[in-house]
Amino acid sequence: MSDAAQPTAAEVRAAAEAVKTALDRHLAAVERRTGEDDPAVYEAFNQLAAAAEAYDELLYDRYDEVTPFEIPAAEDSLPPYAGPEEPNALSVLIRRDYAVAEPQRLLAQAQRVESADYDGPVGADTRASGTIHGALGLLFGEFEPDEIASRHKEFGLEEGDSTLWVLAAEEPAEPGEWLETPFEQLDPQRVVCRFDVSSVFDDDLDDIDEPRRITAIERIEDIEDVEDVEDIDEVEDDVEDDLDADLDEDGDDNLEPLDADRVDR
């Protein structure tokens, strides 16, 4: 970036002041919040995120420095839930991205599917399975999306990001009502929950040296309904005593004497 295009020191200072103002507004909105999903808090959060991002960019452009904190961008968050408190219906929206990693494998699988209903030679270019888009249509028409997700490597596909959104509704839609435009009425404020899967999240695991294994004994501590368990060590001791007792009951009566010749071997 040329010196002429760089922001001035005054612009950077003004951006810093904007962050301070946004911080005060956000804190004030939090202190006055009327509920868990207060729109005022959500708006103040977005303003703070925008101000911090603008300041960070100007600071870097002017001084080649960055801030030591990171605020998620507004578009990365869902707005406060504004759907019905007791939904009578729901819609589940799923998106899964794939890359066609092995086109020949994809075509071969589609040809196998098509050959079941086709009397001509397998692999003819005139058939739908002779093209990538035709093969995809055949496979997704033959297999359920969940089956393709679990067997994607067999079909020459490579998984990308995926997301699942659960939207609340007042009443179920009439049959055929939304089929022409199934994705145009997405209202983020009706999202009850969402689940995202992406390789970018793998970076969060780099700092973990070894995954922690949760045993059955450890999980007892997390069950609120379990009563009369004062010491988890007592549970382990009881399990060991029961095992010893079972062994004693079976004991020597069920043991066959060792053959001396077999011992010598």
Side-chain angles (χ1 to χ4, degrees), residues 40-178:
V41 175
Y42 175 72
E43 182 179 359
F45 172 86
N46 287 340
Q47 292 176 352
L48 176 58
E53 182 178 3
Y55 171 64
D56 191 82
E57 291 180 357
L58 292 174
L59 185 70
Y60 181 80
D61 291 342
R62 177 67 184 183
Y63 300 109
D64 198 24
E65 287 289 345
V66 295
T67 56
F69 52 85
E70 181 178 355
I71 298 179
E75 58 269 20
D76 293 337
S77 303
L78 289 171
Y81 177 73
E85 293 185 4
E86 298 182 3
N88 295 315
L90 58 88
S91 297
V92 179
L93 306 181
I94 302 175
R95 171 174 173 170
R96 298 187 178 112
D97 284 3
Y98 298 96
V100 180
E102 300 181 68
Q104 294 305 317
R105 181 183 292 271
L106 174 70
L107 293 172
Q109 290 285 9
Q111 289 167 5
R112 292 191 185 97
V113 171
E114 194 173 24
S115 64
D117 299 321
Y118 184 74
D119 296 332
V122 175
D125 293 338
T126 56
R127 297 167 58 190
S129 59
T131 63
I132 296 296
H133 69 272
L136 289 171
L138 282 170
L139 292 176
F140 279 87
E142 178 71 16
F143 300 100
E144 294 290 333
D146 287 344
E147 185 171 4
I148 290 180
S150 63
R151 300 173 55 188
H152 62 278
K153 292 184 178 180
E154 297 179 33
F155 303 136
L157 303 176
E158 182 178 313
E159 282 186 317
D161 293 351
S162 66
T163 186
L164 181 151
W165 290 28
V166 180
L167 276 67
E170 297 283 359
E171 299 293 340
E174 295 294 331
E177 179 180 350
W178 49 261

Side-chain angles (χ1 to χ4, degrees), residues 1 15 36 69 71 75 101 135 138 190 198 207 215 235-236:
M1 179 181 293
E36 183 177 353
F69 52 85
I71 298 179
E75 58 269 20
L138 282 170
R190 287 181 174 263
S198 176
D207 297 333
T215 64
V235 177
E236 294 177 326

